[in-house]
Amino acid sequence: MNFNQVAPHYRWLETLVFGRKLQEARIAFVRQIAPPRRVLVAGEGNGRFLAEFVRAHPGAEVDCVEASARMIALARRRIQFGHVQFICADLREAKLQRQSYDLLVTHFFLDCFAEQGLPGVVAKLAGLATADAQWLIADFCEPATGWARFQARGLIAAMYFFFRVTAGIEGRRLLDYQPLVRSAGFCLTSQRLSANGMIRSQLWQRK
Ligand SMILES: C[S@@+](CC[C@H](N)C(=O)[O-])C[C@H]1O[C@@H](n2cnc3c(N)ncnc32)[C@H](O)[C@@H]1O
């Protein structure tokens, strides 16, 4: 898996296909969450979420674990202030302090993994979170019925094909990460759908 090749094109491709919808999904709950102290952002990409996040929470200490050096370079240019540490690593191998983050952020990240990888990734993230952590997740999902479901399936299949060819992601189809997040002790507290139910923003809370 390597997003270096696609990194310079990620922004315009996203805008071409989705306009502002992905960015709106990333930042849907940024100003509603309880102010976090230590934040782990996994697979941040080119820094659009992070730029907005540090404006809203300038005091938070953020560790951003991102496997692509080119994505990190783009993100660094967007972050003018704040306490952000970039760690260029595969999250699965990164050495991070357990039970130390009171906010996890995974936007369009969990969908990169396949059946055999996803449970380990969710377990690693959950193990890094505190007992009262919040978790922001934005991702694609399939609308329940109708034409929107049919359309979304086609677009999601095309995206998987594209990212498998250009970035070598292991995922082949959308998986439901929710049971894994729930069994790690998190409860869904807020959800927003957009793009006819194809894009989902969620706020989870561990109690
Ligand atoms: C589909 S992009 C999403 C980027 C961004 N979060 C967004 O909202 O669009 C997935 C990002 O996760 C990173 N990534 C994928 N697998 C990773 C892993 N195992 N460890 C760290 N970063 C990873 C990729 O380099 C890429 O920047």
Side-chain angles (χ1 to χ4, degrees), residues 1 3 10 26 43-45 65-68 71 89-92 107-109 112-113:
M1 187 279 311
F3 272 72
Y10 195 88
R26 293 180 189 112
E44 160 59 21
V65 178
E66 165 55 65
S68 159
M71 285 292 198
D90 187 316
L91 175 79
R92 293 167 292 191
H107 289 336
F108 305 99
F109 173 72
C112 292
F113 300 95

Side-chain angles (χ1 to χ4, degrees), residues 141-202:
C141 60
E142 283 189 5
T145 53
W147 173 243
R149 180 180 176 87
F150 183 72
Q151 244 185 339
R153 278 190 168 174
L155 188 48
I156 289 165
M159 285 191 291
Y160 269 101
F161 177 76
F162 176 79
F163 285 115
R164 280 183 69 78
V165 171
T166 59
I169 62 167
E170 66 173 53
R172 284 169 184 270
R173 62 184 182 90
L174 272 188
L175 300 176
D176 188 5
Y177 57 81
Q178 297 176 111
L180 298 169
V181 174
R182 227 173 257 122
S183 59
F186 289 83
C187 300
L188 182 62
T189 57
S190 307
Q191 171 167 285
R192 204 172 291 171
L193 296 174
S194 63
N196 292 323
M198 184 188 164
I199 300 171
R200 179 165 64 192
S201 309
Q202 294 182 327

Side-chain angles (χ1 to χ4, degrees), residues 7 18 58 62 90 105 114 148 179 185 200:
F18 295 104
V62 184
D90 187 316
V105 182
R200 179 165 64 192

Side-chain angles (χ1 to χ4, degrees), residues 102-129:
D102 59 351
L103 176 66
L104 303 176
V105 182
T106 54
H107 289 336
F108 305 99
F109 173 72
L110 299 177
D111 56 6
C112 292
F113 300 95
E115 283 88 343
Q116 66 275 20
L118 186 63
V121 169
V122 172
K124 168 121 193 198
L125 286 161
L128 297 169

Side-chain angles (χ1 to χ4, degrees), residues 4-114:
N4 282 337
Q5 215 189 332
V6 84
H9 307 291
Y10 195 88
R11 170 78 200 270
W12 71 261
L13 279 172
E14 169 185 328
T15 306
L16 184 73
V17 181
F18 295 104
R20 276 196 52 81
K21 289 201 164 26
L22 299 194
Q23 180 62 1
E24 285 164 3
R26 293 180 189 112
I27 62 172
F29 301 116
V30 156
R31 288 175 193 274
Q32 286 175 35
I33 54 174
R37 293 176 300 277
R38 285 204 75 201
V39 185
L40 175 62
V41 185
E44 160 59 21
N46 59 20
R48 292 185 72 206
F49 165 78
L50 211 44
E52 202 61 35
F53 179 83
V54 296
R55 261 194 286 278
H57 301 282
E61 299 276 340
V62 184
D63 285 347
C64 178
V65 178
E66 165 55 65
S68 159
R70 287 185 91 178
M71 285 292 198
I72 290 182
L74 291 168
R76 274 190 207 280
R77 275 191 237 153
R78 284 206 166 90
I79 312 307
Q80 310 298 333
F81 61 92
H83 310 276
V84 181
Q85 181 186 202
F86 288 98
I87 302 165
C88 189
D90 187 316
L91 175 79
R92 293 167 292 191
E93 285 147 27
K95 302 250 179 302
L96 301 162
Q97 197 186 342
R98 286 182 56 78
Q99 299 175 12
S100 65
Y101 297 96
D102 59 351
L103 176 66
L104 303 176
V105 182
T106 54
H107 289 336
F108 305 99
F109 173 72
L110 299 177
D111 56 6
C112 292
F113 300 95

